[in-house]
């Protein structure tokens, strides 16, 4: 950024945060310990790879005790017009939006206009009756079992950059005959629940989510550059475009098109919101506490997800926050409540992982307080790694993971991240705290694998031993399959020795055989089902947030 523009930005931001400046300083030092005097240069170094004029990048904002400590843009907001990113650039925040929707629901609950224990069909009577109650709390905490909206629309023929509306999401959700799991029994993160929460806000308050949030959240907090975006044709001054790499080099525009609960904001405004999570100026302490209280499964297990906020222990310190990803937008906002430190990164480059960047910034500011909790690597002979290679299937979710040894390391097929052995049959993917644990081999029994990620529900897998179909047997799977739940007919055929599946307005998807009647492709796991006679009578499609969507084989298909 030109020096003149940067200075102007800081003058502007200083005015925006002036009311909090006097109260900062001493309190922040007390909570955070001594801060490096060159911390801003260290932050610049973290974001340096995206500071050029030919790349989209990020803006970062850091506040301590409500006082702005640093804000700067790196890279370009718009590559076509050579517009740089600045602290005033407006970004689509993707799933950071969820905490504002949850807050709106909490405001209505405070006023007695709804209860978190209410059956959602009280406000959404068009939703199917699954025989088990889904509550507003189930929606808020991702324990509802609903299938993911984006995957349903994909299977219904929507392309990735198609416009979709709230009405389209309701169309898909109201057609579903089944759930991923019984409400309250598991947690699976998804977007459908928060779309429905936005609908409930409108139906209960009589105002759109946009109007309600403007009146009750954004204006009281002085978030003048923040709004729920409910019209994809609306002009948004200072909006950053978003980009993903183009095959062969360069960039392509990657801006999502939907009119359903999209939040546009700046780091300036988001830092004001982070401060409200500390001082509860809007909503009061009880509502702020609600957002930061974990949901629980039916068995009492804490989900570590509150009201649109992940509740984490980051290297020994309490941290709340949320990330977001849609199109080429990548975002992350984290808060260390006990240290009163907030860090926000908003990016328009689909190759960036802002969650990694915000945690590197946290290390600059909180380094002496952070514990080293990463399990150390241990050496494992490559022969032992090779013994773990194979396809693993989850009876619970119908998901399949494929493992190979490549460049001397165990890794998922097609995924660059190597697994790091940490002892006793356990591995961590790269520098994450997730744990993939293999059971010790038992005679005449397949290897088993359990995956523990950020969620409390461990997923168990069994190594598949069924042979893959012969080339001649593949033809028996070909035909047409109909799913009324997404109003779509799928065509399965054999091409170049492999099964492929396609449906209107979508590219053909190659299905790789992994054992028996089970195949995998970019849309997830496709499992063919058989009638009592042994003939194939249908298929199911499963993905991380969608389980066993069924399509019946058409007679003569």
């Amino acid at each position: 950024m030109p020096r003149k523009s940067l200075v102007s930005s800081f003058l502007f931001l200083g005015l925006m945060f002036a009311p909090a400046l006097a109260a900062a300083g001493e309190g922040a030092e007390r909570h955070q310990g001594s801060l490096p005097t060159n911390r801003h240069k260290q932050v610049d170094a973290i974001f340096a790879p995206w500071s050029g004029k030919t790349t989209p990048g990020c803006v970062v904002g850091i506040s301590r005790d409500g006082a702005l400590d640093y804000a700067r843009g790196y890279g370009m907001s718009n590559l076509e017009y050579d517009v740089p990113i600045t602290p005033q650039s407006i970004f689509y925040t993707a799933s950071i939006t969820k905490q504002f929707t949850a807050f709106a629901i909490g405001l209505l609950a405070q006023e007695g206009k709804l209860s978190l224990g209410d059956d959602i069909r009280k406000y959404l009577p068009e939703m199917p009756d699954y025989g088990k109650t889904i509550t507003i709390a189930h929606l808020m905490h991702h324990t509802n079992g609903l299938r993911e909206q984006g995957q349903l629309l994909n299977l219904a023929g929507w392309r990735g950059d198609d416009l979709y509306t709230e009405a389209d999401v309701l169309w898909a959700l109201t057609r579903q005959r089944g759930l991923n799991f019984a409400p309250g029994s598991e947690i699976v993160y998804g977007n459908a629940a928060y779309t429905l929460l936005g609908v409930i806000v409108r139906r209960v308050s009589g105002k759109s989510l946009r109007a309600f949030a403007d009146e009750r959240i954004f204006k009281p907090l002085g978030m003048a550059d923040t709004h729920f975006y409910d019209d994809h044709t609306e002009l948004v001054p200072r909006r950053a475009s978003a980009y993903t790499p183009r095959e062969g080099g360069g960039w392509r525009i990657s801006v999502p098109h939907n009119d359903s609960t999209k939040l546009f904001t700046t780091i300036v405004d988001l830092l004001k919101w982070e401060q409200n999570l500390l001082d509860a100026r809007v909503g009061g302490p009880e509502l702020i506490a609600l957002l930061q209280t974990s949901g629980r499964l039916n068995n009492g297990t804490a989900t570590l997800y509150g009201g649109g906020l992940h509740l984490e222990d980051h290297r020994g310190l309490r941290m709340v926050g949320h990330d977001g990803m849609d199109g080429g937008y990548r975002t992350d906002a984290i808060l260390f409540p006990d240290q009163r430190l907030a860090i926000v990164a908003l990016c328009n480059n689909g190759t960036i992982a802002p969650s990694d960047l915000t945690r590197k910034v946290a290390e600059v500011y909180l380094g002496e307080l952070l514990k080293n909790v990463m399990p150390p690597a241990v050496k494992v002979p490559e022969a032992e790694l090779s013994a773990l290679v194979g396809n693993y299937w989850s009876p619970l979710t119908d998901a399949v993971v494929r493992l190979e040894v490549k460049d001397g390391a165990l890794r998922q097929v097609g995924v660059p991240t190597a697994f790091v052995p940490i002892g006793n049959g356990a591995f961590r993917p790269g520098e994450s705290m997730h744990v993939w644990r293999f059971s010790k081999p038992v005679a005449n029994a397949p290897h088993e694998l359990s995956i523990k990620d950020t969620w409390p529900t461990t997923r168990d897998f069994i190594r598949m031993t069924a042979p893959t179909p012969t080339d001649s047997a593949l033809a028996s799977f070909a035909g047409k399959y109909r799913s009324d739940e997404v109003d779509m007919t799928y065509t399965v055929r054999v091409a170049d020795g492999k099964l492929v599946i396609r449906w209107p307005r979508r590219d053909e998807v190659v299905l790789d055989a992994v054992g028996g009647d089970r195949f995998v492709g970019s849309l997830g796991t496709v499992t063919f089902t058989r009638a009592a006679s042994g003939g194939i009578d249908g298929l199911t499609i499963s993905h991380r947030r969608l389980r066993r969507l069924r399509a019946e084989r058409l007679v003569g298909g």
Side-chain angles (χ1 to χ4, degrees):
M1 185 188 305
R3 180 175 178 83
K4 183 176 181 181
S5 298
L6 183 60
V7 172
S8 297
S9 297
F10 275 108
L11 288 174
F12 171 82
L13 290 167
L15 291 173
M16 295 293 288
F17 280 83
L21 290 174
E26 182 180 347
E29 295 290 348
R30 182 178 62 253
H31 290 294
Q32 298 176 28
S34 59
L35 289 170
T37 56
N38 67 340
R39 60 187 179 276
H40 298 164
K41 289 184 178 180
Q42 291 187 54
V43 172
D44 289 343
I46 292 169
F47 288 86
W50 305 283
S51 60
K53 294 185 177 181
T54 60
T55 177
C58 299
V59 62
V60 65
I62 306 151
S63 65
R64 302 164 55 228
D65 259 353
L68 181 72
D69 188 78
Y70 195 52
R72 186 171 181 181
Y74 308 84
M76 306 304 287
S77 169
N78 189 292
L79 292 173
E80 294 173 290
Y81 295 99
D82 295 326
V83 179
I85 294 173
T86 76
Q88 292 81 50
S89 297
I90 291 179
F91 285 77
Y92 167 44
T93 61
S95 288
I96 288 177
T97 302
K98 289 182 171 64
Q99 57 201 286
F100 296 95
T101 305
F103 193 80
I105 287 288
L107 288 171
L108 293 171
Q110 278 186 334
E111 297 167 359
K113 294 182 178 179
L114 57 78
S115 170
L116 299 187
D118 287 343
D119 186 334
I120 64 171
R121 297 184 74 243
K122 178 178 179 179
Y123 311 101
L124 303 161
E126 65 269 46
M127 287 294 291
D129 183 353
Y130 296 108
K132 297 181 182 293
T133 300
I134 299 175
T135 67
I136 292 177
H138 286 142
L139 295 183
M140 185 179 293
H141 297 131
H142 299 297
T143 55
N144 48 81
L146 294 171
R147 290 166 171 164
E148 173 64 346
Q149 63 187 37
Q151 292 166 5
L152 291 174
L153 293 176
N154 177 356
L155 293 170
W158 265 258
R159 294 179 177 136
D161 56 359
D162 279 346
L163 169 70
Y164 71 86
T165 66
E166 181 184 274
D168 294 327
V169 174
L170 287 174
W171 170 86
L173 293 178
T174 56
R175 297 180 69 91
Q176 300 309 297
R177 298 171 184 164
L179 297 168
N180 287 335
F181 52 82
S185 63
E186 298 180 46
I187 174 169
V188 172
Y189 178 88
N191 295 301
Y194 273 76
T195 296
L196 294 182
L197 288 174
V199 176
I200 291 172
V201 170
R202 185 181 75 247
R203 293 183 179 180
V204 171
S205 70
K207 300 176 181 178
S208 68
L209 181 58
R210 175 172 183 162
F212 184 87
D214 281 345
E215 177 186 330
R216 303 293 302 276
I217 307 173
F218 304 143
K219 288 182 180 178
L221 288 175
M223 298 171 66
D225 287 323
T226 303
H227 69 276
F228 276 102
Y229 188 70
D230 53 9
D231 178 3
H232 69 282
T233 67
E234 180 182 354
L235 297 178
V236 181
R238 294 182 275 114
R239 169 170 40 177
S241 188
Y243 304 89
T244 53
R246 181 178 293 280
E247 188 174 349
W251 299 95
R252 60 183 293 272
I253 296 171
S254 183
V255 176
H257 296 90
N258 68 74
D259 290 342
S260 177
T261 60
K262 291 172 64 174
L263 187 79
F264 278 88
T265 191
T266 65
I267 57 159
V268 179
D269 278 4
L270 272 183
L271 289 174
K272 293 177 181 178
W273 168 253
E274 296 297 324
Q275 184 61 24
N276 194 59
L277 293 178
L278 292 173
D279 61 27
R281 185 163 65 88
V282 173
E286 289 187 2
L287 180 48
I288 295 302
L290 172 68
L291 263 61
Q292 299 182 50
T293 299
S294 174
R296 292 191 177 274
L297 301 182
N298 296 337
N299 63 8
T301 301
T303 63
L304 304 182
Y305 192 93
L309 289 170
H310 294 283
L311 313 173
E312 303 179 38
D313 181 299
H314 178 67
R315 297 180 59 181
L317 300 180
R318 186 165 64 100
M319 183 180 81
V320 301
H322 214 291
D323 59 344
M325 177 177 68
D326 200 357
Y329 291 106
R330 301 290 186 270
T331 61
D332 193 49
I334 57 175
L335 173 69
F336 293 88
D338 300 327
Q339 289 70 40
R340 303 181 69 81
L341 175 72
I343 305 167
V344 177
L346 306 178
C347 307
N348 65 339
N349 179 327
T351 69
I352 295 176
S355 297
D356 293 343
L357 303 180
T358 55
R359 283 148 185 79
K360 288 180 180 179
V361 173
E363 189 167 352
V364 171
Y365 279 74
L366 302 172
E368 63 185 41
L369 302 178
L370 295 172
K371 299 177 182 178
N372 184 9
V373 295
M374 186 67 65
V378 300
K379 290 185 177 181
V380 174
E382 190 164 331
E384 290 186 23
L385 299 180
S386 297
L388 302 175
V389 167
N391 301 322
Y392 293 77
W393 169 70
S394 167
L396 178 67
T397 68
D398 207 31
V400 173
V401 295
R402 297 184 291 167
L403 300 179
E404 64 178 353
V405 172
K406 186 177 180 181
D407 299 328
L410 187 70
R411 59 186 85 221
Q412 289 191 75
V413 174
V415 178
T417 303
F419 286 94
V420 178
I422 56 178
N424 297 319
F427 295 76
R428 54 175 167 83
E431 295 302 302
S432 82
M433 295 294 291
H434 301 175
V435 177
W436 292 47
R437 186 178 300 277
F438 296 85
S439 63
K440 293 183 178 180
V442 177
N444 301 318
H447 274 284
E448 294 189 357
L449 164 68
S450 67
I451 300 176
K452 176 68 171 67
D453 51 22
T454 55
W455 305 105
T457 304
T458 299
R459 292 173 287 145
D460 294 323
F461 292 76
I462 301 170
R463 184 151 69 172
M464 302 173 68
T465 57
T468 58
T470 63
D471 290 347
S472 60
L474 287 179
S476 66
F477 298 99
K480 293 187 180 296
Y481 298 80
R482 172 71 184 176
S483 172
D484 289 337
E485 290 182 278
V486 287
D487 192 22
M488 183 54 64
T489 299
Y490 304 92
T491 300
V492 176
R493 68 185 185 95
V494 180
D496 298 326
K498 287 192 172 185
L499 279 191
V500 296
I501 184 172
R502 76 167 303 145
W503 58 107
R505 303 189 73 250
R506 301 294 307 188
D507 293 334
E508 207 159 49
V509 174
V510 175
L511 300 178
D512 293 321
V514 291
D517 296 331
R518 195 162 280 112
F519 298 76
V520 297
S522 60
L523 78 169
T525 305
V526 176
T527 301
F528 291 88
T529 61
R530 295 181 181 270
S533 62
I536 295 170
D537 63 359
L539 61 79
T540 63
I541 300 172
S542 299
H543 206 277
R544 181 74 169 94
R545 304 177 187 176
L546 179 147
R547 297 181 190 172
R548 298 182 173 91
L549 179 81
R550 182 163 180 80
E552 302 286 345
R553 189 172 196 174
L554 298 180
V555 176

